[in-house]
Amino acid sequence: MKRELVVVLASGGMDSAVTTAIANQTSRLAFLHLNYGQRTAERELQAFKELAEFYQVEKKLVINVDHLSQIGGSSLTDTDIAIAQADLESTEIPTSYVPFRNANLLAIATSWAEVISATKIFLGAVEEDSSGYPDCRREFYDAFQKVIDAGTKPSTQIEIVTPIITLKKYEIVLKGRELGVPFELTWSCYQHEDTACGVCDSCGFRLRGFEKAGLQDPIEYAERPVYQ
Amino acid sequence: MKRELVVVLASGGMDSAVTTAIANQTSRLAFLHLNYGQRTAERELQAFKELAEFYQVEKKLVINVDHLSQIGGSSLTDTDIAIAQADLESTEIPTSYVPFRNANLLAIATSWAEVISATKIFLGAVEEDSSGYPDCRREFYDAFQKVIDAGTKPSTQIEIVTPIITLKKYEIVLKGRELGVPFELTWSCYQHEDTACGVCDSCGFRLRGFEKAGLQDPIEYAERPVYQ
């Protein structure tokens, strides 16, 4: 029997879908989606809703986080900054970095978890094989855990869980297949909402992941370059 | 010459006004106000604007943080929960606690600071002589500092500064008088927007602070009980 209620930060992408499948094995799900003014917000919300239905989640909350686009500084939220083409080997922080985004999302998730008495927050952060955002590293989540411990009521116990943080993208694909994740419902493209572009960083990592896993990505792409 | 640009979290209350006066001694000010759906939002915004003008701040940003009232769980954002009468000796966390509010506000402040290249975030947190919110303690801010260090770009250096955190309320009043803080422009009441109620926790701490400092609070009160 699944006793524990947990919050899952669900963007609608494949990483959070696999994370959802993992959380779903042991827990009741409270599904949280944050629309932070990213270009593909509508498409991601659709993916979130379809995944919520697929996993028959117990609670669902969609929050508009307008302030991240109001603050700007990222190609994801500011249409004056172009979305860069995929450069999977770059060690620079890309223009798609939304300043301190994940702290904002985790703060919201913690507020909700505290109010609904959820005991964990699951999120699909990936440290390696991702765009190198500073707020996707384990060190960041370890630090945030201490903020939760210090900044919530003494009776509140909320643990951050990042079950795929050390996995490579192809391992996430394989894990997802093992758990029956409906990849056809997920959305990863940073740029388009109709057909995935295939050339932004996010499409690049995803396509390479499926390629290395020896599986076919079930969604459609405008272009389908082969990434090494 | 004031070189450094700093973000000041300015609620419009007396603590943030005194913090502003301290920051203003050495730095250029970027003034940030968060409207999180609290009952007295409009009156606080007015105080923020008048203080921004008084201090001739260089940048000003007002953000509507709708999600805290959407999440609920506090008498400040949920009109179904009554505002409690002042109980300045209570050791319980009061119903006015907005779950994990200050982490949400700090995350926003950090995003903004990173985008505008501000080097510090000043905020008027007070550890003692306040309502005992878990996210007002020094331990919480120390932990959040580590999240900033881990979760922003390597080139970003942002320091949290809480210059009045160890002061008692009457010491804050005295500090404010020393620095010429226009207390008549500030607003603290949790309950009313026209005349301060005098009986909520926030009015209680404020009135006791002025009382102990031997000064007259220049704002009007509907009731003016004497707090020991």
Side-chain angles (χ1 to χ4, degrees):
Chain A
M1 188 178 155
K2 296 176 184 177
R3 291 256 173 89
E4 188 182 42
L5 181 67
V6 303
V7 168
V8 181
L9 269 165
S11 67
M14 58 168 272
D15 297 342
S16 69
V18 174
T19 302
T20 302
I22 293 168
N24 188 52
Q25 294 181 297
T26 52
S27 309
R28 289 150 48 217
L29 308 182
F31 227 41
L32 178 62
H33 183 72
L34 291 310
N35 172 355
Y36 56 96
Q38 69 279 40
R39 292 168 193 238
T40 54
E42 216 169 299
R43 185 61 188 82
E44 290 180 25
L45 180 59
Q46 183 194 324
F48 167 81
K49 286 181 180 165
E50 291 176 0
L51 287 163
E53 205 180 331
F54 183 90
Y55 285 105
Q56 300 188 289
V57 304
E58 188 169 314
K59 286 176 192 283
K60 201 165 70 174
L61 181 63
V62 175
I63 283 183
N64 289 319
V65 192
D66 296 331
H67 63 263
L68 289 176
S69 57
Q70 204 179 339
I71 288 169
S74 164
S75 65
L76 291 200
T77 58
D78 184 345
T79 46
D80 289 341
I81 306 176
I83 296 277
Q85 297 260 314
D87 178 0
L88 310 191
E89 305 311 322
S90 171
T91 55
E92 303 255 301
I93 292 172
T95 56
S96 57
Y97 169 63
V98 177
F100 214 48
R101 186 196 72 170
N102 288 350
N104 282 271
L105 304 192
L106 266 176
I108 296 169
T110 306
S111 292
W112 194 39
E114 187 163 37
V115 170
I116 64 174
S117 301
T119 51
K120 288 180 178 145
I121 297 169
F122 276 80
L123 71 163
V126 178
E127 190 168 29
E128 298 192 47
D129 221 8
S130 73
S131 288
Y133 304 135
D135 55 353
C136 276
R137 293 174 302 152
R138 181 185 286 277
E139 183 193 349
F140 168 77
Y141 294 104
D142 289 346
F144 206 96
Q145 181 66 55
K146 296 206 172 74
V147 171
I148 293 178
D149 297 342
T152 52
K153 292 186 187 185
S155 56
T156 299
Q157 298 293 334
I158 298 168
E159 184 195 344
I160 299 174
V161 185
T162 55
I164 61 170
I165 198 162
T166 60
L167 300 190
K168 299 276 185 188
K169 210 73 167 180
Y170 78 92
E171 297 173 307
I172 298 169
V173 171
L174 291 174
K175 186 79 187 163
R177 192 175 68 158
E178 175 197 329
L179 298 176
V181 168
F183 284 118
E184 69 281 6
L185 303 181
T186 64
W187 193 258
S188 304
C189 180
Y190 281 158
Q191 192 149 236
H192 295 156
E193 300 201 290
D194 42 4
T195 305
C197 73
V199 295
C200 71
D201 243 27
S202 184
C203 283
F205 281 112
R206 176 171 174 141
L207 280 168
R208 188 171 69 176
F210 273 92
E211 183 93 12
K212 285 194 179 173
L215 293 172
Q216 177 79 1
D217 187 346
I219 68 165
E220 266 188 69
Y221 286 91
E223 286 181 60
R224 217 185 248 263
V226 175
Y227 296 95
Q228 303 299 337
Chain B
M1 187 177 157
K2 296 176 185 176
R3 291 253 174 92
E4 186 180 45
L5 180 67
V6 303
V7 169
V8 181
L9 268 166
S11 67
M14 59 168 273
D15 297 342
S16 69
V18 173
T19 301
T20 303
I22 293 168
N24 187 52
Q25 293 182 298
T26 53
S27 309
R28 292 150 47 218
L29 307 182
F31 227 41
L32 177 61
H33 184 71
L34 290 311
N35 171 356
Y36 56 94
Q38 70 278 41
R39 293 169 192 237
T40 53
E42 214 169 302
R43 185 62 188 80
E44 289 180 25
L45 180 60
Q46 182 193 325
F48 166 81
K49 287 180 179 166
E50 290 176 0
L51 287 164
E53 204 181 332
F54 183 91
Y55 285 105
Q56 299 188 290
V57 302
E58 189 169 310
K59 287 176 191 285
K60 202 166 67 175
L61 180 64
V62 175
I63 282 183
N64 290 319
V65 191
D66 295 330
H67 64 263
L68 289 175
S69 58
Q70 204 179 338
I71 288 170
S74 164
S75 64
L76 291 198
T77 58
D78 183 345
T79 46
D80 288 342
I81 306 175
I83 296 277
Q85 298 260 315
D87 178 0
L88 308 191
E89 305 311 323
S90 170
T91 55
E92 303 255 303
I93 292 173
T95 56
S96 57
Y97 168 63
V98 177
F100 214 48
R101 186 195 74 172
N102 288 350
N104 283 272
L105 305 190
L106 266 176
I108 296 169
T110 306
S111 292
W112 194 39
E114 186 163 38
V115 171
I116 64 174
S117 301
T119 50
K120 287 179 178 150
I121 297 169
F122 276 80
L123 72 162
V126 178
E127 190 168 30
E128 299 193 45
D129 222 6
S130 72
S131 289
Y133 303 135
D135 55 351
C136 275
R137 294 172 304 152
R138 179 184 287 276
E139 184 193 349
F140 167 78
Y141 293 104
D142 290 346
F144 206 95
Q145 181 66 55
K146 297 206 170 75
V147 171
I148 293 177
D149 297 343
T152 53
K153 292 186 188 186
S155 56
T156 299
Q157 298 294 335
I158 298 169
E159 184 195 343
I160 299 174
V161 186
T162 54
I164 62 170
I165 198 162
T166 58
L167 300 189
K168 299 275 184 188
K169 211 74 170 180
Y170 78 91
E171 296 173 306
I172 298 169
V173 171
L174 291 173
K175 186 78 186 165
R177 192 175 70 158
E178 176 197 327
L179 298 176
V181 168
F183 284 117
E184 68 282 5
L185 303 182
T186 65
W187 192 259
S188 304
C189 181
Y190 281 158
Q191 191 147 236
H192 294 155
E193 301 201 289
D194 43 4
T195 306
C197 73
V199 295
C200 70
D201 243 28
S202 185
C203 283
F205 282 111
R206 176 171 174 142
L207 280 168
R208 187 170 70 176
F210 273 92
E211 183 93 14
K212 284 194 181 174
L215 292 171
Q216 178 79 1
D217 186 346
I219 68 166
E220 265 188 69
Y221 286 90
E223 287 182 59
R224 218 184 248 264
V226 175
Y227 295 95
Q228 303 301 333

